[in-house]
Amino acid sequence: MADENPRDSPGDTPAPSAAADRPRRRGLVVVPILVALLVACGYLGYLVWQDREDEQLRSTAAAEASRLVEQLATYDHADVDANLEAVTAEATPEFAESYREVSDGLRELLSSGEGASTGTVVRSAVESVADDSAVVLVFLDQEISNVTVPDGRVDASRMVVGLSRDGDRWLLDSADLA
C-alpha cells in the first residue's frame, strides 16, 4: 500500500494558502480607510459650507448696518415724519419706540432750525455675528446744514450698531456713538 498524503485524499479540500488570504486582509484594511476618508470628506465639506454661510451672514450684516445707519443719519426738516417712518419700519420694536421718543423731541428743533443731514458710511466691519444678531462697527460721515451752518459741515462719527435677525432680514436694534 502506498503512503497516503492526507492532503491528497479525494474528500479533503486544500487548506487556504497565505496568498489566498491576502485579498481578504486587504479588504479588512481598505474598507475602514475608505469609510474614514468618506467621513473626513463629508466633515470638510460641511466646514466649507458653514464657512460660506458665516461669510454670507457677515457680508449681509455689514451691508445692512451701513444702509440702516445712512437711513438713520439722513433727514430733512421739511419731512421729518418720512425719515421717522423709514427708520422705524426697519427697526426692532424696542429701538423704534426709543427712536420715536427722541424724534418727537427733535421735530420742532429741526423744523425751526431748518436742519438737514445726509449720512454716508465710509467703512464698516462686523465685530460679531450669530444666527440672530450682529454687532457692526460703522464709520459715518454726516453732512449737516441748518440756519447756523447754511453751507454745511461734515461730522465724522464712529458707531457700534446692533442688528437683530427677523426671518431673512436684519433690523436695527441699537446705534450707539463710540
Side-chain angles (χ1 to χ4, degrees):
M1 207 161 151
D3 284 338
E4 286 187 30
N5 187 343
R7 283 188 269 177
D8 293 338
S9 60
D12 289 341
T13 57
S17 68
D21 280 346
R22 280 189 200 137
R24 191 175 301 147
R25 286 184 193 152
R26 278 190 210 137
L28 291 174
V29 172
V30 170
V31 168
I33 290 172
L34 286 175
V35 169
L37 284 173
L38 286 173
V39 168
C41 286
Y43 181 68
L44 290 174
Y46 170 76
L47 290 178
V48 168
W49 174 81
Q50 185 65 45
D51 188 50
R52 286 184 182 160
E53 288 294 310
D54 289 347
E55 184 56 37
Q56 179 67 23
L57 206 55
R58 294 176 78 78
S59 177
T60 59
E64 283 300 289
S66 296
R67 185 181 68 77
L68 292 169
V69 166
E70 286 181 353
Q71 184 172 282
L72 181 68
T74 301
Y75 55 83
D76 187 343
H77 67 91
D79 198 0
V80 177
D81 289 332
N83 172 256
L84 174 66
E85 290 307 314
V87 171
T88 58
E90 296 187 272
T92 61
E94 297 82 13
F95 186 82
E97 184 179 329
S98 298
Y99 187 70
R100 278 188 193 96
E101 289 172 9
V102 170
S103 295
D104 286 343
L106 293 176
R107 182 176 276 120
E108 181 60 37
L109 180 63
L110 289 174
S111 184
S112 65
E114 298 178 7
S117 172
T118 302
T120 304
V121 171
V122 179
R123 295 267 192 267
S124 66
V126 176
E127 180 181 274
S128 64
V129 68
D131 288 338
D132 62 346
S133 64
V135 176
V136 181
L137 309 175
V138 175
F139 288 82
L140 172 73
D141 282 350
Q142 192 173 12
E143 188 174 338
I144 299 169
S145 64
N146 55 41
V147 291
T148 49
V149 189
D151 294 334
R153 72 169 191 266
V154 175
D155 288 345
S157 303
R158 296 174 295 178
M159 299 180 80
V160 178
V161 179
L163 300 176
S164 182
R165 193 110 171 119
D166 179 33
D168 63 346
R169 66 185 190 138
W170 290 106
L171 297 178
L172 186 60
D173 192 39
S174 65
D176 301 310
L177 291 174

